[in-house]
Amino acid sequence: MKLWIWLPRMIGILFGLSLGASGQVTSAPSSGCSASSNNNCEQCLRNVSCLWCNDNRKCFDYPVRTILPPKTLCPLSDARWGVCWVNFEALIIAMSVVGGILILSLCICCYCCCRTRKSKQHNIIDQKMEREKDQRRMRQEERKSEMKVRHDEIRKKYGLFKEPNSYSKFENN
């Protein structure tokens, strides 16, 4: 085959293999959070997987298997994670209050939206019922006037037509 097609490919493959071999990440000795012990809180908390304990001024690896650090490791009132000026206890309380407020506001918004939608539907239904009621009333009035005309015709035909003042003929005699 042609050498000028295979040569660049082979060089590319060899170059890629050499980069892969030299670019492998070797596991460095774990500096861990315990290396930051007896320093200060700011240095410990630069690593997000660390937990600072004010009680004994030590830096620990955050116990990821448990949500909250156990009291044997550090009491919640002395534990710091993320920032040094907020203890873990206050962080939990603040997060639960904010979460509760968000859930409550979401529920209130859903209630208001559903109520508004319901009232709009009721308004539309009420308007429709009002129109139907008006139409029925108009049809009833038309039927009533037609019946009156028919009854008047029948009365005329048989001479039973009521005069405006039927007692006037008795007074004239």
Side-chain angles (χ1 to χ4, degrees):
M1 298 215 175
K2 298 181 181 177
L3 184 63
W4 59 275
I5 292 176
W6 285 97
L7 188 61
R9 289 183 183 172
M10 292 302 281
I11 292 173
I13 290 172
L14 290 174
F15 184 69
L17 288 174
S18 67
L19 278 180
S22 66
Q24 288 180 349
V25 177
T26 58
S27 60
S30 62
S31 59
C33 297
S34 59
S36 301
S37 288
N38 298 326
N39 290 340
N40 59 7
C41 180
E42 286 82 19
Q43 287 179 350
C44 174
L45 295 183
R46 284 183 187 158
N47 187 353
V48 292
S49 64
C50 294
L51 174 75
W52 176 259
C53 187
N54 266 349
D55 188 27
N56 54 11
R57 303 192 56 79
K58 286 191 176 181
C59 191
F60 299 104
D61 287 322
Y62 190 86
V64 291
R65 293 184 188 264
T66 60
I67 296 174
L68 299 175
K71 283 191 174 186
T72 57
L73 184 65
C74 186
L76 287 179
S77 60
D78 291 326
R80 305 286 190 263
W81 180 72
V83 290
C84 295
W85 50 273
V86 177
N87 66 16
F88 212 79
E89 201 171 39
L91 184 67
I92 291 170
I93 292 170
M95 293 302 284
S96 57
V97 167
V98 168
I101 289 172
L102 287 175
I103 290 172
L104 184 66
S105 63
L106 180 68
C107 290
I108 289 172
C109 287
C110 288
Y111 173 75
C112 290
C113 289
C114 291
R115 186 172 178 205
T116 304
R117 187 174 296 150
K118 223 181 230 184
S119 67
K120 285 181 182 177
Q121 288 175 350
H122 284 301
N123 286 344
I124 292 171
I125 292 171
D126 289 344
Q127 290 173 355
K128 183 178 178 184
M129 289 178 65
E130 192 67 34
R131 282 193 306 266
E132 289 175 358
K133 182 179 173 184
D134 289 340
Q135 289 174 352
R136 282 193 304 268
R137 186 174 39 81
M138 290 176 65
R139 283 194 308 250
Q140 179 66 28
E141 287 176 2
E142 288 174 4
R143 282 196 301 263
K144 196 175 187 182
S145 65
E146 288 174 1
M147 289 295 285
K148 185 175 182 195
V149 168
R150 271 191 12 201
H151 288 161
D152 286 345
E153 288 175 358
I154 292 172
R155 283 189 189 108
K156 234 185 222 183
K157 180 178 178 182
Y158 293 106
L160 300 172
F161 190 65
K162 292 185 180 179
E163 295 177 13
N165 192 358
S166 60
Y167 295 108
S168 64
K169 49 183 172 176
F170 294 119
E171 291 174 2
N172 292 339
N173 289 339

